[in-house]
Amino acid sequence: MSHWQPYELHTHTFHSDGKQSLLDLAEAAKSLGFAGFALTDHNTMTGLSERNQVEDHIGIDIIQGLEWTTFFGHMVTLGIRDYVDWRQLSPFHISRGIEGVHRQGGVVGIAHPFRVGSPMCTGCFWEFEISDWDEVDYIEVWSGLFPSIQKNNSRAFALWTDLLNRGIRISATSGRDWHVKDPVKEPVCATYLHMDQDEGAEFGVINALRNGSIAVSMGPLPHLVIRNLEGQSNVGIGGTVSRKANASNQYEIVIGVDFAARDGHWELMNTSVTMRLNSNKGDIAVCELSKIDQEKVLSLDLDGVSWMRVEMFGTFHQVYTMIGFTNPIYFND
């Protein structure tokens, strides 16, 4: 049985530049409603030495990771067993390091690509040359607390959209870049991963990041499904619709919101949210959803649409902003 699980995919302990232990981090993540988190200390995996004990004690999943931290950019690597050396990589040869991660069955994601760089944050601004974007598994398009209102995240979101429009199927996530255990007053974002209960946490996380079965939200969880396709099962987030399954370009689209997701860890000022169905052709539909009306079924002509996602807007912490989004559903001709 598959289900959506909230994860935090970018964290640090005092094994690099964090101000918290792995136990501190696990306790705080559990209290914020996360099912798990990835430990991604800078250039080291030593913080994972107590992983099994902390997992058992707190009852939370901890995913093995590491954040490559270079003068030319930061890249999160997840699901690796052995250290992959990046130190000899020039700005033009990041693909060699990525290949080493993929050989171990891991995934790579560009961290905070447009954050202010040196000397404020050494290498935080992404400058590596990507010759083949298909090698990159995901982009951290929302970084930090209350990510939707940060201009550097708007640039990252625009980069992701541009890549999708170029036909590159790349996932998008959030990452708090969590360093300290102090209580937070700003909204915390979660990356929701669609996982099979029987496949194991780490495999499920890696698989979801590869497949794009991901939604990101500071509040309720947005959903998107295309159903009643001729000769094809329902297609959800990260999936691909074969146009040959339909005799026409008319599709039945289900847009929904799960208001129970991480309930108690966020608060909407209004009772409703605006759901924008966005695509390579721009917005193609808009609807309002609430706790009373949590789903809308639309019949739309999707001629010329190669990908589409849901963007969820509402008033959050007295600001009207994007609260969350889904990764795309794709279309093959």
Side-chain angles (χ1 to χ4, degrees):
M1 181 178 179
S2 57
H3 53 176
W4 290 92
Q5 291 280 55
Y7 274 77
E8 170 53 61
L9 298 177
H10 190 164
T11 70
H12 299 279
T13 68
F14 52 62
H15 283 259
S16 59
D17 62 343
K19 307 299 182 185
Q20 56 195 339
S21 68
L22 187 63
L23 179 60
D24 292 332
L25 185 56
E27 289 174 337
K30 186 77 170 181
S31 71
L32 289 171
F34 288 103
F37 64 92
L39 179 60
T40 55
D41 274 322
H42 297 282
N43 303 332
T44 182
M45 299 175 70
T46 58
L48 289 158
S49 60
E50 298 178 333
R51 175 192 180 192
N52 292 338
Q53 300 95 301
V54 173
E55 280 186 324
D56 292 342
H57 179 61
I58 303 300
I60 195 168
D61 298 323
I62 302 174
I63 308 305
Q64 292 198 154
L66 175 148
E67 183 178 4
W68 281 345
T69 307
T70 80
F71 290 109
F72 311 114
H74 295 190
M75 176 167 273
V76 174
T77 67
L78 301 179
I80 57 175
R81 292 288 178 271
D82 301 315
Y83 187 87
V84 178
D85 198 350
W86 49 265
R87 289 170 294 179
Q88 303 304 316
L89 300 178
S90 78
F92 310 103
H93 298 103
I94 189 67
S95 60
R96 296 177 185 172
I98 293 173
E99 182 183 1
V101 174
H102 285 163
R103 276 200 303 267
Q104 292 191 38
V107 293
V108 298
I110 297 175
H112 44 65
F114 294 104
R115 185 178 295 175
V116 63
S118 302
M120 298 291 291
C121 180
T122 302
C124 282
F125 189 91
W126 185 263
E127 296 182 272
F128 280 106
E129 180 179 289
I130 302 294
S131 57
D132 183 0
W133 277 98
D134 288 329
E135 293 179 339
V136 180
D137 298 292
Y138 67 94
I139 303 174
E140 187 182 87
V141 299
W142 275 9
S143 177
L145 298 170
F146 210 164
S148 66
I149 66 171
Q150 299 184 33
K151 290 184 179 179
N152 63 300
N153 289 331
S154 297
R155 293 183 67 186
F157 198 89
L159 169 64
W160 178 45
T161 302
D162 178 63
L163 291 170
L164 294 175
N165 286 336
R166 287 161 52 186
I168 297 162
R169 299 188 177 186
I170 187 169
S171 300
T173 68
S174 67
R176 178 172 165 181
D177 201 357
W178 192 351
H179 284 77
V180 297
K181 61 180 179 180
D182 298 340
V184 293
K185 297 180 180 178
E186 295 180 278
V188 172
C189 195
T191 298
Y192 286 87
L193 305 172
H194 198 229
M195 300 164 58
D196 192 316
Q197 284 180 312
D198 300 323
E199 63 187 1
E202 188 152 302
F203 181 84
V205 167
I206 301 305
N207 205 36
L209 290 169
R210 282 201 193 104
N211 297 337
S213 48
I214 304 164
V216 172
S217 181
M218 299 181 291
L221 172 62
H223 289 298
L224 178 64
V225 174
I226 298 180
R227 69 185 188 191
N228 293 337
L229 294 163
E230 294 181 16
Q232 189 174 359
S233 303
N234 293 348
V235 175
I237 298 165
T240 300
V241 173
S242 172
R243 291 195 187 276
K244 295 178 182 178
N246 264 28
S248 70
N249 284 310
Q250 202 73 21
Y251 292 86
E252 186 175 273
I253 299 160
V254 183
I255 300 173
V257 178
D258 179 4
F259 284 91
R262 289 184 65 241
D263 190 26
H265 298 288
W266 52 266
E267 184 178 354
L268 277 171
M269 292 191 68
N270 296 332
T271 58
S272 64
V273 290
T274 300
M275 311 295 283
R276 295 184 177 275
L277 188 60
N278 183 259
S279 73
N280 57 296
K281 298 179 72 174
D283 286 347
I284 52 179
V286 179
C287 64
E288 297 288 322
L289 294 178
S290 67
K291 288 185 178 181
I292 297 173
D293 186 11
Q294 298 190 24
E295 185 177 282
K296 281 284 194 304
V297 180
L298 307 174
S299 181
L300 296 176
D301 187 328
L302 299 183
D303 184 33
V305 172
S306 60
W307 62 267
M308 66 179 189
R309 68 186 174 212
V310 164
E311 299 173 356
M312 180 174 62
F313 291 80
T315 304
F316 217 69
H317 282 234
Q318 300 182 335
V319 178
Y320 185 80
T321 185
M322 189 188 297
I323 300 170
F325 58 88
T326 71
N327 273 244
I329 292 176
Y330 299 96
F331 293 82
N332 280 345
D333 291 325

